Amino acid sequence: MARSVGRGNDDEAAGWPVVAIVGRPNVGKSTLFNRLVGRRQAIVDDTPGVTRDRREGLARLADLSFRVVDTAGFEDARGDVLAARMQRQTAAALEEADVVLFVVDVRAGVTPLDRTFAGLLRRGGRPVVLLANKCEGRAAAAGVAETFELGLGPAIPISAEHGDGLALLYEAVQPLWDAARGREAPAAGADGPAADDEPTAATPEHAAAPAPAAAAAPVQLAVVGRPNVGKSTLINRLIGRDRLVTGPEAGITRDAIAIDWSSEAGRFRLFDTAGLRRRARVDDRLEQLAGAETIRAIRFAQVVLIVIDATTGLERQDLAIADLVVEEGRAPLIVVNKSDLVEDRTAAAALLARRLEESLPQLRGTQPLWLSGLTGHGVGALLPAVMRLHRQWSRRLPTPQLNRWLAAAVGRTPPPTAQGRPVRLRYMAQTNTRPPTFVLFANRPEAVAESYLRYLGNALRDDFGLDGVPLRLSVRRTRNPYKAG
């Protein structure tokens, strides 16, 4: 029995065939995508049109390894409306595909939209496998027979939700896979991801040829912010092509879309995310799911671009997002987008600096980056700033140097006494990176004031160049070597 098993190694998958899943809205494309990659990556809901950007994952079907692409539901749209922009992404996926899986819903029967799309696929020149989805039960037999009129050969009955029909799918895809492969498949285990795979919010798309396996791991870079601040536009500008659906409508992005991309600055795994609104304003199930995906992307990121709208300035929700990033210990970079629409840039920058100093003291010294994703102004400074912040976030300080610094800091400003008794800081050590984490050892840890820890944290930033990086400081009791046990 054929089975789908997780994903493989990202570098290993560079030469795998590409399989695109297409069809009209709400036929089960994302459910099939999740089934093939072996876990829930794409948001699935009964509402038509959930998927908008194309999403890529790495999949195996028994001994077949391939890159699978989930696409937006086909609608016969024209012009520059959202549906037409989504169709351009689907067309791009078809251009890159070696095999096309055309999914129809047998419960609904063959629709005029299915016939239109089938005609496009027949003329497209790509091998097409017709899948009759939702074939649970006997009632589906009539719907399967109806698919013959599409002119794409016999349909394979499957149930993406329950995993039925994968053996038949394997038999149909295998000869097409062999033809697309043209060479021996790379060695890969059949039991899912490699042991050293990092957890990610979404399996990435290979937007550029990956670097050799010996190269440094890509920097996980999430782009977050409120709806309609220009996150997708900024990523399109950065990678130099219209990979993501953009437009004036708020909330276009729903899934956390990952793109592997290489530049002169290094290798990056970019995550485009849905806009985050205040929880009190979110009453839509899809927006809740999209928000959960965004939070997951933040948790697995390393550097997080917090994009704010230059025309509206720093709002309460921007501060809430920044607090979340700091709480998760990620390295935040404030990106002020749409700077081309601001008339008095100097006044706006001064106002933003004051707001950040007052509202985000935990990110003291952070330097907002002003740019325009639409025009490209200032975008060239983005990746160097990301790499600089990543180095600071990953930095480890030698213990002797730290303790010399601690002695000098305590000498300048000793910790306040508590109940008339002195508080003595004996020594400190860095216990972790990403974010930099330090432990202070004191004779009375419970008496060390929070204000004094803030003083030490700010001094660390100033003296070691850790501006804008979240720090973790904790205090432990100095162990008495003469105490039994």
Side-chain angles (χ1 to χ4, degrees):
M1 176 73 178
R3 61 190 182 103
S4 61
V5 186
R7 67 183 181 92
N9 179 274
D10 296 329
D11 290 334
E12 166 194 13
W16 288 3
V18 178
V19 176
I21 304 174
V22 301
R24 59 182 177 81
N26 211 33
V27 295
K29 298 184 299 299
S30 294
T31 302
L32 177 60
F33 174 88
N34 289 341
R35 174 69 60 180
L36 292 173
V37 299
R39 53 179 175 161
R40 192 192 71 81
Q41 290 184 10
I43 293 177
V44 175
D45 194 84
D46 291 335
T47 306
V50 172
T51 302
R52 287 172 173 172
D53 292 292
R54 67 185 191 270
R55 168 192 282 272
E56 182 169 324
L58 309 184
R60 289 193 179 95
L61 191 63
D63 60 340
L64 306 183
S65 303
F66 52 91
R67 291 158 53 194
V68 59
V69 184
D70 187 22
T71 64
F74 174 78
E75 298 179 75
D76 195 11
R78 299 289 186 272
D80 199 42
V81 297
L82 177 58
R85 280 176 266 140
M86 291 160 56
Q87 294 322 302
R88 287 195 282 272
Q89 292 294 323
T90 300
L94 288 172
E95 283 294 319
E96 298 172 2
D98 297 300
V99 179
V100 178
L101 303 183
F102 178 31
V103 184
V104 297
D105 181 352
V106 295
R107 292 181 181 175
V110 174
T111 68
L113 203 54
D114 290 325
R115 297 185 184 95
T116 300
F117 201 13
L120 294 175
L121 293 175
R122 287 197 304 270
R123 296 189 294 271
R126 294 287 190 276
V128 179
V129 176
L130 180 61
L131 302 181
N133 193 26
K134 305 182 183 180
C135 278
E136 305 90 347
R138 300 177 181 176
V144 174
E146 189 181 354
T147 61
F148 276 94
E149 68 178 82
L150 295 175
L152 294 171
I156 297 173
I158 67 167
S159 170
E161 183 174 358
H162 297 95
D164 298 336
L166 292 183
L168 297 174
L169 176 60
Y170 172 86
E171 293 174 2
V173 170
Q174 185 182 33
L176 303 177
W177 183 93
D178 288 338
R181 188 63 173 169
R183 63 179 184 274
E184 184 179 352
D191 293 323
D196 58 351
D197 273 356
E198 293 186 25
T200 57
T203 301
E205 176 201 342
H206 292 263
V219 175
Q220 306 261 9
L221 180 60
V223 183
V224 304
R226 292 181 289 108
N228 213 31
V229 295
K231 300 181 292 297
S232 300
T233 301
L234 175 59
I235 292 178
N236 283 345
R237 172 65 63 176
L238 197 60
I239 67 177
R241 63 192 183 101
D242 290 335
R243 168 60 182 82
L244 302 167
V245 178
T246 62
E249 304 90 348
I252 290 178
T253 303
R254 284 172 172 163
D255 284 295
I257 303 298
I259 304 169
D260 270 6
W261 176 69
S262 298
S263 76
E264 293 180 357
R267 298 175 63 204
F268 299 90
R269 179 168 295 165
L270 305 174
F271 291 92
D272 185 31
T273 63
L276 284 176
R277 294 199 300 161
R278 292 171 57 187
R279 288 185 180 180
R281 297 183 178 179
V282 178
D283 55 6
D284 178 70
R285 169 180 161 79
L286 285 179
E287 190 172 357
Q288 291 173 352
L289 293 172
E293 284 289 299
T294 298
I295 293 172
R296 179 174 167 82
I298 291 173
R299 287 174 177 161
F300 287 125
Q302 296 171 341
V303 179
V304 179
L305 305 186
I306 304 171
V307 183
I308 67 175
D309 189 332
T311 62
T312 59
L314 193 68
E315 296 190 352
R316 181 186 300 180
Q317 181 62 5
D318 297 319
L319 296 173
I321 294 171
D323 280 336
L324 173 62
V325 173
V326 172
E327 183 180 336
E328 294 293 337
R330 307 303 93 187
L333 178 61
I334 306 294
V335 175
V336 189
N337 194 25
K338 306 182 185 180
S339 63
D340 54 313
L341 303 180
V342 177
E343 293 183 3
D344 192 343
R345 163 81 175 274
T346 303
L351 177 60
L352 176 61
R354 287 197 302 272
R355 289 289 311 279
L356 289 173
E357 185 176 357
E358 294 169 359
S359 305
L360 290 174
Q362 65 270 46
L363 292 181
R364 177 180 169 181
T366 188
Q367 296 295 322
L369 189 63
W370 291 70
L371 52 76
S372 170
L374 186 62
T375 67
H377 176 74
V379 173
L382 180 58
L383 293 184
V386 166
M387 296 306 295
R388 182 170 58 253
L389 187 62
H390 185 266
R391 287 192 296 270
Q392 293 173 193
W393 183 67
S394 307
R395 188 175 176 187
R396 182 175 292 277
L397 303 176
T399 300
Q401 184 181 8
L402 270 176
N403 282 285
R404 289 193 297 270
W405 171 86
L406 178 64
V410 170
R412 290 194 302 267
T413 307
T417 60
Q419 298 177 341
R421 298 170 58 192
V423 175
R424 295 188 178 89
L425 300 180
R426 306 293 190 184
Y427 60 97
M428 72 181 297
Q430 184 174 356
T431 58
N432 211 341
T433 61
R434 302 185 172 190
T437 303
F438 304 91
V439 175
L440 295 157
F441 293 88
N443 64 331
R444 301 173 61 202
E446 72 283 352
V448 179
E450 286 293 328
S451 59
Y452 194 75
L453 289 180
R454 285 195 297 271
Y455 155 72
L456 291 177
N458 290 334
L460 272 170
R461 289 190 175 93
D462 293 341
D463 296 339
F464 291 105
L466 299 174
D467 293 342
V469 176
L471 301 180
R472 300 282 190 265
L473 276 80
S474 61
V475 188
R476 296 180 187 172
R477 185 178 301 277
T478 307
R479 184 177 180 274
N480 186 346
Y482 299 103
K483 186 176 179 179

